Amino acid sequence: MKGNIVGHSVPKVDAKAKVTGKALYATDLYMEDMLYMQVLRAPYAHAVIRKIDLAQALAVPGIVRIITKEDLPGLKNHGLIFKDQPALVGIGEKVRFTGDTLAIVIGESNIQVRKAIKKIKVEYDKLEVITDPLRAMEEDAVTIHTAGNIVCTHKLDKGDIVRGFMEADLIVYNEFKTQHVEHITLQPDAGLATLEEDDTICIWAATQWLHDTRVDVAQAMGLPVEKIRIIQPAIGGAFGKREDIIAQLHLAIAVREVKRPVKTIYSREESIIATSKRHPMIFRFRTGVKKDGTLTAWEATVIGDTGAYASSGPAVVHKGLYHCTGPYDCPNVRGVAYTVYTNNTYAGAMRGFGATQTAFAYESQMDIIAEKLGINPIELRLKNAYQVGSTTPNGQKLYASVGVKETIIKAVEAFERLGGVIR
Amino acid sequence: MKKRGVGIASVMFGFGYGEGFPDHSTASIRIKPDGRVEVKTAAADVGQGVLTVVSQIAAEILGVPVESIDLVNGDTAVTRSSGSTSATRQTFFTGNAVMNTAQILRSIIFDLAVKVYGKTYPELYFENSCVVPHGAEEKKISFAELAKIAAERGEKLEAEGSYFPITTPPDPSNGQGERVYVSYTFVTTIAEVEIDLGTGQVEVIRMVAAPDVGQAIHPQNVEGQMEGGSAQGIGMALMEEILFDEYGTLLNPNLSTYLIPTSLDVPRMQTVIVEDEEPLGPFGAKGIGEPAMISTAPAIINAIYNACGVRIKELPATPEKILRELKKLAAGN
């Protein structure tokens, strides 16, 4: 329902502060006595750490403190769904991708901190590196986490898939693959932390979910939730990347140790190496269809590479499975989704959350089917598109607001109005 | 030689966390002593415009101009959880929470006004930060005066409200559930591409997108989402790919080697907003954040096939890949 204000493009409430430069992003925050923090990342994607020698790094002028896991034996893993990600990897422990952290370095200037990081010497034993999720699923593959390389398996079974394929006049099988994609938020990862008089740790850093960030930071550090305060500065893009909390946790650890404000800004390179990616996914689709274009069966296998840590992966990959038939009614659907660890940079939430990857696969499949049947791709879509009363692959009945057919009709009209010709 | 082709893609997106995962949003609103309206949520505005959306909803229900809304930014010490800015959920979840809260506050204000005027509900209405009696407009009372009256009576013009719908966890054996997601957004994109058969370079020359958003709270924001999402979709379709070598070393961690679309890669595009109202959404609205990018890549990939017969099954459709496939096609002929 349109109102006097709702349904109208009023000036954006945050626009003026942003275009005049008044909006404060985490990178803009400054305190007189603040220190700078950077971290040492893993030298190899899969290895057991044997020794971390800080002597030369500590001798760099301006270095205030270097924190390793040995200083924080009680530090717990963090993670959005499974707590499988360490904020620091210690001696005798494994790094699982090149973004894992071995030391938190704090000093008076960023230049000094970066210089010190280069002087830390690490000894390690290499392990087999797995970059292919199909290799990770093989029985003889080295396990990246003790419970095995398959993080989780999800199943889908609606209707009667065998009958669905028997009713089909044409069965089409294809495999599709998507790639690792980076969010490229305009604003770099950055944050500032302070320690208040009552020992509350205040963190200013762009996050998509303040309250969840607070709980995860608190549990990793073994602190009551109330001792962590997250304050939202202006945010320069997120796209899913700012659900994971690694910089916030490093800042919290650092500020507690040095008891002075601590600031960090990642370089673009570090951000790309160490923070989450879009899951590369493999889709194996077998689709049954009648001569007139009616879908009868859709069988799907989905494999998602979540990299070194689960992050949002267990939810992303099966969302790809649950959306495998797109906006089309198919009475018989069966499928399985595997979320798999590798030694690639961990994959997490990114705009579309698995549904983006699967759309490339099912919409390619629909066009392939249309050509094989000699049906116009638009007609094939209109024929199978959801309407009120349709059920999704999850068996959810759609009761209202099912505008997919209208989106097809309106898009075609607009395209033709612009002079486009559909061939 | 260059060839053109057109491709279409339609997509569905179930929004909210769904699957029985606790998903809620809380808001609080009060009338300040100066009559301005303070809206508190922890919804993160990552640029998409949720703070504008919640301001519009609060202003609409309370009968105040958007300019009289003061927003309190997310801070775990002063705001309760609004859930994440993810899952395409903020317009729907925090929008509903703000709508519910504004309605509670509206009734608190009404109850006080009834006592002040000695008149009952049908005789009063809200307009421009005032309560106005029908037929006696000169006797209107501003929110600032009402706030003062409330304070004198020891009452508060403030309310807190939430939106916390129930969804169904899918049965682990078969993924079936009655209400796995709160609702679904649909988008169709049509893309026209031009392929240079000598270089394999693809240019997107025309694009339209039609999202079904239930009701656009802020049509320009919807267009912004569609344009930004489509640009990201062009990147995914044609150029973006993080590469690792066999040792797990990330090979292209810079914008010189990891290419994203620039304004020169994005065509003029048109968004046609479809509004098939969602009864559960605030004013009928559904979310658009994520579905805004989903239909772009498949529309482009289908357009490439339409143009030159190359079916790309592994993203992205780089010039190298297209040239390789064109050679295979030529050899097959």
Side-chain angles (χ1 to χ4, degrees):
Chain A
M1 189 194 82
K2 208 169 165 175
N4 294 322
I5 298 166
V6 162
H8 300 274
S9 300
V10 304
K12 285 182 90 164
V13 298
D14 52 346
K16 196 171 174 188
K18 284 178 176 168
V19 298
T20 55
K22 284 193 178 131
L24 283 182
Y25 295 84
T27 33
D28 301 323
L29 302 173
Y30 180 84
M31 286 188 176
E32 279 300 323
D33 56 342
M34 72 183 187
L35 297 168
Y36 292 85
M37 177 195 90
Q38 295 290 337
V39 303
L40 172 69
R41 307 272 175 192
Y44 196 71
H46 201 194
V48 178
I49 302 302
R50 295 298 174 203
K51 195 177 172 194
I52 303 175
D53 181 355
L54 303 177
Q56 285 188 39
L58 283 166
V60 172
I63 295 306
V64 173
R65 184 90 164 80
I66 300 179
I67 304 163
T68 64
K69 180 72 184 292
E70 280 50 54
D71 299 311
L72 299 160
L75 186 66
K76 294 196 191 88
N77 285 345
H78 65 279
L80 287 166
I81 296 176
F82 299 135
K83 306 294 177 200
D84 64 351
Q85 189 165 0
L88 280 165
V89 177
I91 307 301
E93 295 177 344
K94 281 208 308 187
V95 290
R96 298 183 177 89
F97 82 114
T98 56
D100 267 329
T101 304
L102 299 179
I104 299 170
V105 182
I106 305 148
E108 298 289 348
S109 77
N110 228 359
I111 294 170
Q112 290 164 323
V113 169
R114 288 194 187 280
K115 197 170 165 190
I117 283 174
K118 288 192 185 132
K119 300 205 169 193
I120 300 175
K121 290 190 179 134
V122 180
E123 291 173 22
Y124 54 95
D125 293 334
K126 291 179 182 178
L127 299 167
E128 179 196 351
V129 172
I130 299 180
T131 57
D132 178 357
L134 297 178
R135 168 65 188 147
M137 292 171 81
E138 288 172 355
E139 290 216 340
D140 67 332
V142 61
T143 51
I144 296 163
H145 291 263
T146 46
N149 293 339
I150 298 178
V151 185
C152 54
T153 304
H154 287 85
K155 290 177 184 164
L156 199 56
D157 198 353
K158 173 195 167 191
D160 181 345
I161 194 78
V162 176
R163 212 178 107 193
F165 279 119
M166 280 172 66
E167 286 170 5
D169 295 316
L170 173 72
I171 295 173
V172 175
Y173 174 84
N174 280 294
E175 181 175 290
F176 302 95
K177 287 184 183 174
T178 65
Q179 75 276 44
H180 277 101
V181 177
E182 156 66 33
H183 307 65
I184 308 285
T185 56
L186 200 54
Q187 177 203 9
D189 307 76
L192 174 78
T194 60
L195 192 65
E196 304 301 301
E197 278 178 9
D198 66 352
D199 281 341
T200 300
I201 296 169
C202 288
I203 305 167
W204 285 261
T207 166
Q208 289 172 241
W209 193 354
L210 291 85
H211 291 75
D212 201 65
T213 298
R214 174 168 74 157
V215 174
D216 208 5
V217 169
Q219 72 79 28
M221 298 179 72
L223 294 172
V225 172
E226 295 74 23
K227 287 291 173 196
I228 305 292
R229 179 178 177 187
I230 311 288
I231 304 165
Q232 187 77 275
I235 308 169
F239 308 116
K241 187 186 279 295
R242 305 202 196 282
E243 290 185 37
D244 295 284
I245 64 154
I246 190 76
Q248 287 93 330
L249 188 43
H250 287 153
L251 283 168
I253 290 167
V255 79
R256 201 152 172 253
E257 293 289 316
V258 298
K259 302 187 189 334
R260 275 171 66 181
V262 179
K263 183 174 178 175
T264 194
I265 303 175
Y266 286 17
S267 65
R268 179 66 67 182
E269 185 174 347
E270 183 176 22
S271 176
I272 291 181
I273 290 171
T275 67
S276 81
K277 297 285 158 291
R278 179 186 291 288
H279 286 77
M281 290 166 74
I282 299 168
F283 298 91
R284 293 172 185 151
F285 283 173
R286 188 186 307 279
T287 307
V289 61
K290 287 186 182 167
K291 276 183 198 150
D292 68 355
T294 308
L295 293 170
T296 61
W298 200 298
E299 192 171 39
T301 300
V302 180
I303 298 160
D305 171 6
T306 201
Y309 299 104
S311 179
S312 298
V316 169
V317 179
H318 80 255
K319 189 155 190 172
L321 173 66
Y322 288 175
H323 285 65
C324 69
T325 68
Y328 309 114
D329 206 345
C330 184
N332 308 296
V333 184
R334 188 166 69 186
V336 60
Y338 303 100
T339 308
V340 181
Y341 285 127
T342 65
N343 295 117
N344 297 324
T345 296
Y346 69 93
M350 185 174 176
R351 202 173 195 177
F353 210 78
T356 305
Q357 293 92 318
T358 198
F360 156 64
Y362 64 70
E363 281 301 78
S364 297
Q365 182 84 337
M366 286 297 278
D367 258 30
I368 292 168
I369 290 168
E371 191 184 31
K372 283 186 191 289
L373 291 175
I375 296 178
N376 179 302
I378 293 167
E379 278 169 33
L380 181 71
R381 286 173 172 83
L382 285 170
K383 185 172 190 65
N384 290 286
Y386 282 138
Q387 46 200 347
V388 169
S390 301
T391 54
T392 70
N394 294 109
Q396 178 173 356
K397 196 169 173 181
L398 302 174
Y399 289 100
S401 193
V402 189
V404 55
K405 283 189 186 181
E406 203 184 337
T407 68
I408 296 172
I409 292 162
K410 288 278 164 63
V412 170
E413 284 172 6
F415 187 73
E416 289 175 344
R417 259 201 315 277
L418 288 178
V421 178
I422 294 171
R423 287 172 279 259
Chain B
M1 197 176 79
K2 290 182 176 180
K3 274 192 162 181
R4 286 190 177 192
V6 177
I8 184 168
S10 299
V11 302
M12 165 183 101
F13 186 81
F15 61 82
Y17 309 140
E19 305 180 24
F21 194 89
D23 189 356
H24 72 289
S25 193
T26 299
S28 57
I29 310 180
R30 73 179 175 109
I31 307 297
K32 293 170 35 170
D34 60 2
R36 293 178 64 80
V37 177
E38 182 186 82
V39 178
K40 261 192 213 178
T41 76
D45 198 323
V46 298
Q48 85 281 29
V50 62
L51 294 179
T52 303
V53 161
V54 300
S55 301
Q56 285 177 272
I57 291 172
E60 181 77 46
I61 292 170
L62 293 171
V64 304
V66 175
E67 299 73 39
S68 69
I69 303 277
D70 291 332
L71 293 161
V72 171
N73 219 15
D75 176 344
T76 56
V78 296
T79 51
R80 290 184 61 196
S81 180
S82 297
S84 61
T85 291
S86 70
T88 303
R89 60 178 291 290
Q90 285 296 9
T91 292
F92 195 87
F93 282 75
T94 301
N96 264 322
V98 167
M99 186 176 77
N100 293 345
T101 307
Q103 287 171 351
I104 297 167
L105 182 56
R106 183 179 159 93
S107 53
I108 289 170
I109 296 169
F110 243 110
D111 288 350
L112 179 62
V114 165
K115 288 181 218 164
V116 171
Y117 285 110
K119 287 176 190 285
T120 188
Y121 161 71
E123 299 167 37
L124 301 171
Y125 65 96
F126 281 42
E127 192 178 72
N128 207 13
S129 302
C130 292
V131 178
V132 191
H134 276 292
E137 276 72 15
E138 72 285 356
K139 289 186 182 165
K140 68 182 180 188
I141 305 179
S142 71
F143 281 7
E145 292 168 71
L146 266 182
K148 199 179 159 203
I149 295 167
E152 283 163 10
R153 299 166 71 110
E155 294 173 19
K156 283 180 176 168
L157 298 183
E158 62 181 46
E160 185 171 271
S162 292
Y163 183 66
F164 201 158
I166 289 170
T167 55
T168 321
D171 182 330
S173 72
N174 59 19
Q176 300 299 290
E178 209 174 306
R179 194 181 182 218
V180 175
Y181 299 100
V182 289
S183 184
Y184 295 84
T185 296
F186 303 93
V187 184
T188 294
T189 293
I190 299 178
E192 183 165 5
V193 302
E194 186 170 81
I195 302 173
D196 186 321
L197 299 180
T199 63
Q201 191 79 34
V202 177
E203 191 183 349
V204 183
I205 55 174
R206 202 194 317 255
M207 192 147 55
V208 298
D212 167 22
V213 297
Q215 160 72 50
I217 303 286
H218 191 290
Q220 199 179 48
N221 270 1
V222 174
E223 287 171 19
Q225 287 276 27
M226 292 310 303
E227 287 165 15
S230 299
Q232 237 170 0
I234 290 172
M236 184 173 173
L238 299 177
M239 56 191 89
E240 295 186 41
E241 183 173 26
I242 291 284
L243 299 165
F244 295 90
D245 70 10
E246 62 192 293
Y247 305 108
T249 305
L250 199 153
L251 297 173
N252 51 344
N254 279 296
L255 291 168
S256 54
T257 46
Y258 182 82
L259 302 184
I260 63 169
T262 68
S263 55
L264 293 177
D265 300 303
V266 180
R268 271 191 71 175
M269 64 169 289
Q270 196 183 350
T271 299
V272 188
I273 298 174
V274 172
E275 293 175 317
D276 188 339
E277 277 193 26
E278 166 55 62
L280 301 171
F283 296 87
K286 303 192 281 191
I288 189 58
E290 292 171 275
M293 85 162 286
I294 297 178
S295 46
T296 312
I300 291 170
I301 296 301
N302 286 339
I304 291 171
Y305 181 82
N306 185 247
C308 67
V310 166
R311 172 57 64 187
I312 295 294
K313 293 183 183 175
E314 290 185 29
L315 291 180
T318 55
E320 295 90 326
K321 237 181 247 178
I322 288 172
L323 276 185
R324 200 166 58 224
E325 294 301 317
L326 280 170
K327 271 184 196 155
K328 274 192 216 166
L329 277 181
N333 289 340

